[in-house]
Amino acid sequence: MDLIQEGHFNLTGLSKINILLGKNGSGKSTLLKKVESNFTDDLEGEVNYVTPERGGSLKFNSSVEQNDSDNRDWTKGQKNQNQWSSFKNYSVTQYRRLEILSLREIETNQAVRQNLGYTFNTIIDKINALLTNVKIVRTAKGDFELLTKTTDVKIEPNQISSGESELISLAIECLTFEKSCDAALKNLLLIDEPDVHLHPDLQVKFIEFLIELVNTNKFTVIVATHSTAILGALLDYEHSRFAILNNGSATAVFKQIDLKYKAILPIFGAHPLSNLFNQSPIFLVEGEDEERIFQQAIRSSNGRLKLYPCAVGGVGNLPDYETSVIEMLRGVYDNATGYSLRDRDEGEEEIDDNPPLIRFRTSCRASENLLLCDEVLETMGTTWADLQVEIEKWLVAFGDHSKHNVMTEFKTDGYNRKTSDLKEIRNILVGLTEYTKPWEIAVGQTISKLVTAQIAKDIAVDKLCNYLGTKFSNRLRP
């Protein structure tokens, strides 16, 4: 689905649930308001914009109901403001409308009417499923009251948490909209920052509720948010799309959350505008070996090394991942930085940055070569001289081993620890020592010693810093 109104907006690639990401001031709210005000006639269905700052209390307010009843443009005008101090009072009015719409559905829809278990309480149960500590209960006056879930004690609206108050209000708004929609028409629900006042766990609950609701196929939803926790809740939902809005743009291209986004989006945290991301920035690495190495290095550094390693499944995937990370960093954060690391293989060590992404390439051939630098060998309780003796013994004893030719090639190459291809014999080499843990742990622990200054920042041949390369070593320990 596309929403295009020349001179106003151009939104392409929409599906059932569409997330609009962007930093403060990028124009998310402005864009949603443009859609709401300029596309109503063309849609020929229901359009509803939910304002980001939703104030008030979940109490019936007769003046709000009267204004809404007398002039629906009044309600639209209130919602089009970034702050509506009576939004939650309006939610109680919407609840009354929701009950009428639900009862009319039961009355007029034969299939629904024949389901004797379907009542308006079925709708209320959907709201209560979102809530942890309280529940809403119908009253004879046509509104609802709040009870504690565990003791059924009545509680005043101003005594419940802001998160549960938000969920009740948002749920009523969404359910009322869904009941108002004619499935034969195009209907659009625009929700601005539903994450306000919601803990990440409640954000996930709300998205699960929204997924169930849009699967009725009666409307499309666009959610403007700062929260990648919300996006994370949609990672496995096939009808979700997302776009990053650049400052002041009225164009957004929505795309599917593919495998690379599934890998990197959870790293960006619950609230991307906080400083949490900059404290542990994303660190793209080629594969799971490197990911395990740096996970161990982080654990062993006692908080000194702050990175979030993310394996991309091979060097061939790094360019696409880097492009996606750069898009996220520029579109969602202020002054953020990310990192990526490549093996040198047979190429040059030097590599240019692509701001805000800082790129490194090791000086050794691959991560497994790190296990043969002097400091890692010491971590494994041996030296290079002792290991050479064990290699010679192995070559004599295991002449029929499937990797004998690879080990022989390593020897005839002059035992070049830094540039030889060790991938097929790395575990054999570790087995020739008394070290009993995976080699990635030894490498990670040794890197943490560099970070914490337990070993020297030495760039001599066959030292850790030499293998890691000057640029990367300087990042690990300035």
Side-chain angles (χ1 to χ4, degrees), residues 53-319:
E53 289 291 340
R54 299 170 289 273
S57 176
L58 292 169
K59 291 183 176 181
F60 176 69
N61 185 317
S62 59
S63 63
V64 171
E65 182 177 56
Q66 189 64 47
N67 285 330
D68 180 60
S69 176
D70 291 346
N71 184 2
R72 294 306 298 271
D73 285 339
W74 175 86
T75 305
K76 179 179 176 181
Q78 295 297 315
K79 287 187 175 183
N80 276 337
Q81 301 177 56
N82 284 340
Q83 298 181 353
W84 186 8
S85 60
S86 300
F87 184 91
K88 291 174 185 176
N89 304 99
Y90 172 72
S91 296
V92 180
T93 296
Q94 284 286 74
Y95 169 86
R96 294 183 170 202
R97 185 171 175 230
L98 174 62
E99 182 172 17
I100 293 170
L101 290 170
S102 299
L103 295 176
R104 284 180 179 174
E105 179 186 39
I106 295 171
E107 178 186 349
T108 59
N109 188 317
Q110 184 176 359
V112 174
R113 189 166 64 251
Q114 288 176 339
N115 180 2
L116 300 181
Y118 186 88
T119 68
F120 183 55
N121 281 329
T122 306
I123 307 299
I124 291 179
D125 289 343
K126 293 180 184 293
I127 300 173
N128 287 334
L130 290 167
L131 308 174
T132 304
N133 301 308
V134 300
K135 61 184 177 181
I136 69 172
V137 179
R138 300 167 73 181
T139 71
K141 297 184 296 181
D143 56 7
F144 60 85
E145 62 183 10
L146 296 162
L147 304 180
T148 59
K149 275 194 171 182
T150 54
T151 60
D152 282 342
V153 174
K154 184 176 178 180
I155 185 171
E156 292 301 316
N158 59 4
Q159 294 178 314
I160 68 173
S161 71
S162 59
E164 293 196 305
S165 177
E166 283 286 322
L167 278 179
I168 292 170
S169 190
L170 284 170
I172 291 171
E173 189 76 16
C174 294
L175 286 164
T176 306
F177 181 77
E178 191 269 341
K179 295 300 179 189
S180 303
C181 291
D182 182 343
L185 303 176
K186 292 181 179 179
N187 305 291
L188 193 61
L189 179 60
L190 309 168
I191 308 179
D192 206 343
E193 297 191 22
D195 47 294
V196 173
H197 304 304
L198 291 186
H199 183 277
D201 291 345
L202 296 182
Q203 294 177 35
V204 172
K205 276 190 172 185
F206 176 69
I207 291 301
E208 291 171 348
F209 162 83
L210 202 55
I211 288 173
E212 181 182 354
L213 211 55
V214 299
N215 281 338
T216 61
N217 295 315
K218 294 178 71 175
F219 67 97
T220 297
V221 62
I222 302 177
V223 178
T225 182
H226 295 145
S227 173
T228 50
I230 283 180
L231 193 52
L234 291 164
L235 290 180
D236 295 318
Y237 180 56
E238 63 177 323
H239 300 297
S240 63
R241 300 291 186 270
F242 83 100
I244 297 174
L245 192 67
N246 294 316
N247 288 351
S249 177
T251 298
V253 179
F254 290 84
K255 50 194 170 186
Q256 196 163 14
I257 305 171
D258 60 19
L259 289 176
K260 63 177 180 294
Y261 286 110
K262 286 185 179 183
I264 68 175
L265 284 171
I267 294 171
F268 285 87
H271 200 296
L273 294 184
S274 70
N275 287 322
L276 295 177
F277 176 79
N278 278 330
Q279 292 173 11
S280 293
I282 191 168
F283 179 45
L284 299 176
V285 293
E286 289 188 17
E288 293 181 355
D289 292 343
E290 292 80 11
E291 189 174 60
R292 285 191 290 268
I293 286 171
F294 286 99
Q295 286 172 343
Q296 181 62 54
I298 291 163
R299 286 194 296 269
S300 300
S301 72
N302 295 319
R304 293 285 295 276
L305 181 58
K306 296 181 182 296
L307 294 170
Y308 203 125
C310 174
V312 304
V315 66
N317 294 327
L318 261 174

Side-chain angles (χ1 to χ4, degrees), residues 1-12 14 18 20 27-50 76 80 177 186-192 220-224 245 249-254:
M1 176 181 174
D2 296 337
L3 294 176
I4 301 172
Q5 185 82 330
E6 191 162 344
H8 296 286
F9 49 82
N10 188 317
L11 311 183
T12 57
L14 293 158
N18 308 277
L20 190 63
K28 300 186 301 300
S29 298
T30 300
L31 181 57
L32 292 190
K33 291 173 186 177
K34 283 182 179 179
V35 172
E36 195 266 351
S37 61
N38 290 285
F39 231 81
T40 304
D41 294 338
D42 291 27
L43 282 169
E44 298 180 348
E46 293 287 330
V47 182
N48 186 25
Y49 170 75
V50 179
K76 179 179 176 181
N80 276 337
F177 181 77
K186 292 181 179 179
N187 305 291
L188 193 61
L189 179 60
L190 309 168
I191 308 179
D192 206 343
T220 297
V221 62
I222 302 177
V223 178
L245 192 67
S249 177
T251 298
V253 179
F254 290 84

